Amino acid sequence: MAAQRIPKLKTILTVAKKELTDHLRDRRTATMIFLLSIAMGPIILLGLGYFIGSIEAKAEKKEIYVVGNEYAPDLINFLQRQDMKILPPKPEFRALIKQGNHDAVMVIPADFNEKFLTGEAKVELVYDDTRQSASAASEGVLRRVLRAFNTEVATLRLMARGVSPSVLRPVEIQDTNLGTAAQRAAGVLFIIPWITLIGCVTGCTAMAVDLAAGERERGSLEPLLMTPIGRDALVMGKGVAVSIYSLGIAVLTLMGFALTLKYGNLPAIGSVLSLSAAQYGMFFLMLLTFAPAMAAIQMLLATYGRNFKEGQTYASYAITLVALIPSVAMFAQVKDATWQLFVPVLAQLMVITRLLRGETTDLIHYLLPAAINTAIFVVAMVLIARLLRQEKIIFGRA
């Protein structure tokens, strides 16, 4: 029995090698995919680092825009004592804020000083919270300094009347933040496992479709099935080839992220997130069976396509699901649960995110998804082999 399996295994590996060699002959396409995969990490992390760094810089910047300084001398004096640099806004600041091109502005009305003495003073904060740019961070700065000013004025007024300022704070709040810096960074870097998983699917789509619908369109499927290789070995060899290609794309994507985190100048991210070689090894384990499962699903879908274009359309459904499932989980705020280990994509996302957060993982986190993915791969290969016994699949083409 074992002697019969060895030649079949050799046949499968021979088919896989042949298909990989043929696909890699298109060096322009392969080079573009490989470069894009490894560049994905630097592009995304550098963009995230710049975005987070710009928000932090604006939050720490001691510059505020104020209109009507002369109407609130006490408030302006307080701001200056806080080392705040008070700047006049541009005349058309409201339109600029609406466009996202100006920081938030505090407008002090002419009757501020009069109403300040009676406790009825108001100021207007002009900002646009739909913009993830200038006004969002500066509006927070203005609110903080105004809260500090209110606290100081209230304290002084109570003391002037012989009342202890503690009456304003009947309950003292003691903060105990159990979240670590790595966990906060992981919340932002949710995109790393997401992009890596998508790369597993999108990277091998062209090859998966070409080896299924492409063969059918070119009319080369019939001669292949007439060879003594056998349908099962032929299908399995093609599946192994696409799986290796998919896994290679995922590894290149992870390499891009790893190199950027280690050598990229990302103080907003790199200072709080450091991944070990063991963690990257765990990432690879999660992808080791996920990549073949996704490759097999795309091949199965593409087998129904009568030509490359139709097969690519069917395979795109798998890409949509991979992109959609993490989005739904994120917006629905799905918490980690055992049932997620039974759902491809969600299982890998959960485990890799736990690794990013520095949380512990158990053996079940790796074995259960691996078993599910292996089953998906085997079932898909069996279904493809059965489809290739149908005349409408073999001979039907556009």
Side-chain angles (χ1 to χ4, degrees):
M1 190 72 177
Q4 293 177 356
R5 290 178 180 174
I6 293 176
K8 191 171 183 179
L9 177 60
K10 288 183 178 179
T11 303
I12 291 172
L13 295 178
T14 301
V15 173
K17 181 180 178 181
K18 183 260 182 189
E19 297 293 0
L20 280 171
T21 303
D22 289 346
H23 189 77
L24 292 174
R25 279 180 183 150
D26 186 359
R27 295 188 179 181
R28 181 177 297 180
T29 302
T31 302
M32 181 65 68
I33 292 175
F34 292 158
L35 288 178
L36 183 61
S37 299
I38 201 167
M40 195 65 68
I43 292 171
I44 291 174
L45 288 182
L46 288 173
L48 269 177
Y50 175 79
F51 175 71
I52 296 172
S54 64
I55 291 179
E56 290 180 349
K58 287 183 180 295
E60 295 173 358
K61 186 173 62 172
K62 292 195 171 185
E63 292 181 355
I64 58 174
Y65 290 90
V66 181
V67 176
N69 304 28
E70 65 276 14
Y71 303 133
D74 293 333
L75 174 57
I76 298 302
N77 177 267
F78 173 81
L79 296 175
Q80 290 173 339
R81 284 189 282 115
Q82 305 303 312
D83 296 327
M84 303 297 295
K85 186 177 181 181
I86 302 172
L87 303 173
K90 295 181 180 180
E92 66 280 11
F93 67 85
R94 292 180 185 271
L96 291 173
I97 289 175
K98 193 64 180 173
Q99 298 168 8
N101 296 323
H102 199 292
D103 285 353
V105 176
M106 178 168 60
V107 180
I108 303 174
D111 60 352
F112 178 89
N113 204 37
E114 177 185 345
K115 292 187 175 181
F116 176 69
L117 299 175
T118 61
E120 299 176 348
K122 295 181 180 180
V123 296
E124 180 187 8
L125 295 185
V126 184
Y127 63 96
D128 185 352
D129 63 358
T130 64
R131 297 282 182 178
Q132 299 297 322
S133 55
S135 67
S138 55
E139 178 261 338
V141 174
L142 285 174
R143 287 192 184 279
R144 284 196 296 273
V145 295
L146 284 173
R147 281 197 296 266
F149 175 69
N150 285 335
T151 301
E152 180 180 275
V153 171
T155 300
L156 291 175
R157 286 177 176 178
L158 288 173
M159 292 175 65
R161 290 167 174 76
V163 180
S164 172
S166 62
V167 299
L168 294 175
R169 300 185 300 275
V171 178
E172 289 286 348
I173 300 174
Q174 180 180 353
D175 292 326
T176 303
N177 189 350
L178 299 179
T180 64
Q183 289 172 332
R184 286 189 292 274
V188 177
L189 298 181
F190 170 90
I191 199 168
I192 290 181
W194 190 3
I195 293 297
T196 304
L197 295 178
I198 292 176
C200 268
V201 183
T202 58
C204 70
T205 298
M207 185 176 184
V209 175
D210 185 62
L211 296 187
E215 296 274 20
R216 186 175 172 184
E217 181 181 19
R218 291 190 298 270
S220 57
L221 186 59
E222 298 97 312
L224 280 174
L225 295 176
M226 292 173 64
T227 61
I229 294 175
R231 283 179 174 80
D232 294 342
L234 180 65
V235 170
M236 189 64 72
K238 288 177 177 288
V240 170
V242 181
S243 300
I244 293 173
Y245 196 83
S246 174
L247 191 59
I249 296 296
V251 169
L252 287 175
T253 305
L254 269 181
M255 283 177 56
F257 282 118
L259 292 173
T260 307
L261 284 174
K262 186 169 184 177
Y263 299 108
N265 185 18
L266 301 170
I269 296 176
S271 60
V272 294
L273 185 64
S274 178
L275 300 176
S276 64
Q279 286 175 307
Y280 283 116
M282 297 300 182
F283 285 10
F284 179 77
L285 283 178
M286 293 304 298
L287 299 173
L288 191 58
T289 55
F290 176 77
M294 295 300 103
I297 288 175
Q298 289 191 90
M299 284 186 64
L300 176 60
L301 293 173
T303 302
Y304 288 96
R306 292 170 296 178
N307 52 57
F308 187 91
K309 186 176 181 180
E310 190 175 321
Q312 197 169 37
T313 301
Y314 295 154
S316 66
Y317 299 151
I319 300 174
T320 303
L321 280 176
V322 172
L324 184 62
I325 290 175
S327 304
V328 173
M330 179 176 65
F331 289 115
Q333 297 183 343
V334 177
K335 296 182 179 180
D336 291 355
T338 305
W339 66 264
Q340 296 177 30
L341 297 176
F342 291 88
V343 184
V345 181
L346 205 56
Q348 284 70 36
L349 187 66
M350 183 188 81
V351 176
I352 294 177
T353 302
R354 288 176 67 92
L355 291 170
L356 281 174
R357 291 168 58 87
E359 297 175 357
T360 58
T361 54
D362 300 323
L363 195 59
I364 190 68
H365 288 103
Y366 302 96
L367 293 181
L368 189 53
I372 298 294
N373 289 328
T374 302
I376 290 173
F377 178 81
V378 172
V379 170
M381 293 296 102
V382 171
L383 291 176
I384 294 172
R386 289 185 178 181
L387 286 173
L388 294 183
R389 290 182 172 87
Q390 300 177 16
E391 291 186 3
K392 64 178 182 180
I393 294 293
I394 300 173
F395 300 106
R397 66 177 69 97

